[in-house]
Amino acid sequence: MADLPRPLLTVEGLSLAFGGIRALRGVGFSLAEGETLAVIGPNGSGKTSLFNCISGAYTPGAGSITFQGKSLLGLSPDRVARRGIARTFQNLRLFLGLPVIDNLLLGRHLHFRKNLAAAFFRLRGEEIRHREKCEELIEFLDLEPYRNVRVADCAYGVQKRVELARALALEPRLLLLDEPASGLTGEEKEEVAYWLHEMRGRFGLTLLFVEHDLRFASRLAPRMIALDRGEKIAEGTPAEVQRQPAVARAYLGDAA
Amino acid sequence: MDLVESHQEELRFARGRVVRALLIAGVAIAIAVPFSGQPAWIVRGTLIAITAIGVLGQNLLIGHTGQISFGQAGFLAIGAYTFAHVQMLPWPLALLVAGLAAAVAGVLVGFPSLRLKGPYLAIATLGFGIAVYQLLANASWLSGGRTGVAVQRPPMEWLYWQDVLLLAIFALATVNLISSYAGRAFMAVRDSEIAAEAVGVNLTRTKLLAFAVSSFYTGVHGALFAQFLGHLEPELFNLGEVLTLFVAITVGGLASIEGSIFGAAFVVLAPAVFGAARWAVPVLFGGSIIVVLVFEPGGLAGGLRKARVALEQWPFR
Ligand SMILES: Nc1ncnc2c1ncn2[C@@H]1O[C@H](COP(=O)(O)OP(=O)(O)OP(=O)(O)O)[C@@H](O)[C@H]1O
Ligand SMILES: [Mg+2]
């Protein structure tokens, strides 16, 4: 055990039910510092539910989630964010009424030194420091033309990038991406794959992402897990996972 | 490319040309009114300034944070009566105490907002306003019974300058607040609670802060109103006051500072136009909400913004 890197995130026996629907059934896996893991599975297999449990939006009925040696269970989403976990959403959750720059500054919210008196009296040293951080992300993700555009007025592909930039602004240890390439054109998908690859190196991120597109997932993740009807049915390299009969069945069943 | 040269420059106060023009016009009008020699305009100006402070506060809660509250009359009454009972203190201190009393009530009323959304919160806060009114109507030791409570009233011209200056201070503080981390958290909660939590915004703290700050403003509004009237009775704080503030916010423009001031001017000046036909005022107010929501949901401030964009692009497009 000594020579294995300490896992950053460990999920064990995770179960979650909505009335009669069992969204997760005893799911477990672990993720080492710096690793990238993809979660695949057909519609309704529990991928988003798994993310919601980790990020504190849902409370699992059973199981454990350990991050950096401490349990995340029972923490509200803002406390989970404070621990160093950022996420994006499958159906974009942005601050639509605010310009791009303000969305990114909100990504810095937990790094702000909170001082209400300074807020009322316009003491802005803190603000400038964080704006500089946001500018780096704006440049990195080619968002310059949209800096002061209201997010509601941006195209879908741009909104998707803003959400990614906002998550990066948190400077998380672990980044959860729920279908980072869904709804994008082929070209945009290429860009996202490139950015994800780049930012792993640049920010030393550990990445957990959900993806429908198996080819996209295989390119980024050396290891993946597959879910079906709330259960983990396979784990391993992309080639290993795709060879599993259970995975083929789950995907075919999905298509039929 | 399109790089930011200086963050200092981006953060400067009143950057736009139109904003600066508005600011100068506002200051000019404020200075001109006392020299007009028309007592009626001094009274109206004072009332606009007082009302605008309350509208700014409620706009922080409703417009910026998205918490629809109808408890305004309650906070107004708490500010007014607290001020009346502590008026022996030095004036700034009495004003502060009145604002703080309302802020404490705001935090208490804010707790349901952690559970209730939209119309449910509106009804709960409405209940609070009614409860305060009933309490005042029945506790004569608080409200002075049928004779009411007298409040010392400085000369009108003095009040005018005092209240206009206070409005300037409150407006500036609001501009600063909404461009800070705290104001951004307000708007984040309004736009998406789920996303706000995901970036580490504490919903409880943010909503309660919005209630506290906005009630402080409304408490100060109440205190200044008490001083302006020189006399208080519970009847002043009924549902009509809720309607007035709500109209001011909608007509002026949600989440807009200049809108709050336009809105306050509207609710003070519109009744003056009607003169004797007082029954027509609520009709006008109700009608104006409908007209604004249907034709220009951004209110007067939103209309102005659009006009400005059109003007900048003219004659192109
Ligand atoms: N809030 C909820 N209330 C009720 N049922 C839910 C809720 N969230 C998820 N479910 C159910 O749990 C199951 C798993 O859903 P989940 O969203 O996790 O699937 P998914 O793998 O992300 O699917 P997709 O690929 O379509 O995004 C589904 O049957 C879904 O209907
Ligand atoms: Mg999903």
Side-chain angles (χ1 to χ4, degrees):
Chain A
M1 280 299 274
D3 50 344
L4 282 177
R6 200 167 68 109
L8 183 67
L9 176 77
T10 312
V11 174
E12 277 170 329
L14 204 63
S15 296
L16 172 75
F18 296 103
I21 300 170
R22 294 171 66 190
L24 292 172
R25 308 192 229 187
V27 172
F29 64 92
S30 87
L31 190 58
E33 185 95 51
E35 200 188 355
T36 298
L37 180 72
V39 182
I40 64 164
N43 287 114
S45 56
K47 306 180 296 292
T48 299
S49 300
L50 171 65
F51 271 29
N52 282 338
C53 287
I54 297 172
S55 69
Y58 291 168
T59 310
S64 70
I65 304 171
T66 314
F67 181 67
Q68 295 183 310
K70 289 196 207 121
S71 173
L72 292 181
L73 288 185
L75 294 186
S76 57
D78 60 303
R79 306 263 310 270
V80 173
R82 248 158 238 284
R83 289 276 180 93
I85 300 181
R87 71 170 295 182
T88 63
F89 296 86
Q90 186 171 350
N91 303 308
L92 299 181
R93 301 257 185 199
L94 287 158
F95 307 117
L96 289 173
L98 302 181
V100 168
I101 178 73
D102 284 28
N103 273 262
L104 300 200
L105 281 164
L106 273 158
R108 301 290 308 162
H109 184 81
L110 52 79
H111 296 291
F112 266 84
R113 230 174 319 131
K114 312 288 189 296
N115 181 346
L116 207 56
F120 275 114
F121 291 108
R122 186 172 273 267
L123 303 178
R124 290 293 139 86
E126 192 55 11
E127 174 97 13
I128 288 170
R129 221 157 49 76
H130 292 295
R131 273 182 186 259
E132 278 158 6
K133 277 268 178 224
C134 293
E135 282 311 316
E136 286 173 25
L137 291 168
I138 284 181
E139 202 197 323
F140 176 56
L141 287 166
D142 284 343
L143 288 168
E144 286 100 342
Y146 311 103
R147 182 189 295 109
N148 296 316
V149 177
R150 235 166 50 112
V151 168
D153 301 328
C154 293
Y156 184 78
V158 175
Q159 292 186 342
K160 204 110 180 158
R161 252 186 286 159
V162 173
E163 210 192 27
L164 184 60
R166 186 182 69 191
L168 286 173
L170 273 80
E171 296 187 74
R173 294 289 296 276
L174 170 65
L175 182 56
L176 311 177
L177 304 175
D178 199 347
E179 308 207 6
S182 73
L184 298 181
T185 64
E187 195 181 332
E188 287 172 329
K189 272 188 193 189
E190 284 300 314
E191 282 177 348
V192 168
Y194 165 78
W195 277 318
L196 292 183
H197 183 79
E198 278 287 301
M199 79 194 194
R200 261 188 319 198
R202 191 153 152 180
F203 304 101
L205 274 176
T206 307
L207 195 60
L208 180 64
F209 71 98
V210 168
E211 190 46 68
H212 261 296
D213 186 335
L214 279 179
R215 270 222 316 239
F216 183 93
S218 321
R219 274 177 53 192
L220 278 165
R223 201 162 69 88
M224 51 175 58
I225 63 174
L227 298 183
D228 183 33
R229 279 171 245 177
E231 271 179 308
K232 185 173 89 175
I233 54 168
E235 174 166 4
T237 64
E240 282 165 1
V241 167
Q242 284 169 54
R243 259 200 312 273
Q244 296 274 331
V247 174
R249 226 176 302 126
Y251 269 83
L252 283 178
D254 188 41
Chain B
M1 242 213 102
D2 182 18
L3 290 174
V4 170
E5 277 115 47
S6 148
H7 296 282
Q8 210 82 51
E9 171 62 26
E10 286 255 308
L11 293 177
R12 242 190 47 212
F13 177 66
R15 237 161 47 99
R17 242 187 311 161
V18 176
V19 176
R20 244 173 290 161
L22 262 182
L23 207 61
I24 292 168
V27 172
I29 293 174
I31 293 174
V33 164
F35 292 104
S36 70
Q38 301 255 354
W41 279 104
I42 296 178
V43 170
R44 283 175 199 143
T46 310
L47 205 49
I48 290 173
I50 294 173
T51 308
I53 292 172
V55 180
L56 277 172
Q58 290 306 312
N59 217 341
L60 275 176
L61 184 66
I62 297 174
H64 290 94
T65 319
Q67 307 298 303
I68 298 179
S69 156
F70 287 143
Q72 293 88 345
F75 300 122
L76 212 54
I78 289 173
Y81 278 94
T82 305
F83 183 80
H85 286 289
V86 300
Q87 56 179 312
M88 58 293 205
L89 295 176
W91 175 77
L93 197 60
L95 202 61
L96 188 68
V97 171
L100 289 178
V104 170
V107 171
L108 296 180
V109 175
F111 274 102
S113 75
L114 308 175
R115 283 298 183 84
L116 303 176
K117 291 216 170 89
Y120 300 101
L121 177 63
I123 291 168
T125 51
L126 189 64
F128 158 76
I130 294 172
V132 170
Y133 170 73
Q134 287 299 335
L135 184 71
L136 287 173
N138 291 295
S140 51
W141 58 273
L142 259 178
S143 60
R146 208 165 299 161
T147 47
V149 187
V151 182
Q152 241 205 329
R153 185 181 160 184
M156 203 61 217
E157 195 139 339
W158 171 269
L159 268 188
Y160 175 83
W161 286 114
Q162 168 203 301
D163 293 343
V164 166
L165 200 67
L166 271 176
L167 170 60
I169 292 170
F170 271 85
L172 187 64
T174 312
V175 172
N176 292 346
L177 181 69
I178 58 170
S179 59
S180 76
Y181 74 89
R184 269 197 300 270
F186 288 170
M187 295 181 274
V189 168
R190 173 196 66 193
D191 283 0
S192 168
E193 289 196 1
I194 290 176
E197 276 198 294
V199 295
V201 172
N202 182 316
L203 291 186
T204 305
R205 214 176 300 155
T206 307
K207 288 185 183 178
L208 292 184
L209 180 66
F211 266 97
V213 173
S214 74
S215 318
F216 181 87
Y217 281 50
T218 308
V220 169
H221 171 186
L224 296 175
F225 193 49
Q227 203 189 12
F228 170 85
L229 292 174
H231 182 84
L232 287 180
E233 47 192 296
E235 296 308 319
L236 291 167
F237 304 100
N238 57 25
L239 292 182
E241 214 44 51
V242 176
L243 175 67
T244 306
L245 283 176
F246 201 73
V247 169
I249 292 175
T250 3
V251 171
L254 280 173
S256 160
I257 307 229
E258 63 273 27
S260 298
I261 298 171
F262 296 155
F266 176 78
V267 294
V268 171
L269 297 181
V273 174
F274 282 81
R278 293 211 59 86
W279 59 268
V281 172
V283 176
L284 171 74
F285 281 1
S288 61
I289 289 191
I290 297 172
V291 170
V292 165
L293 290 183
V294 171
F295 294 104
E296 181 51 75
L300 293 170
L304 191 74
R305 219 168 6 244
K306 274 187 199 155
R308 187 177 85 202
V309 172
L311 200 70
E312 275 163 8
Q313 290 174 344
W314 191 83
F316 312 102
R317 285 224 279 192

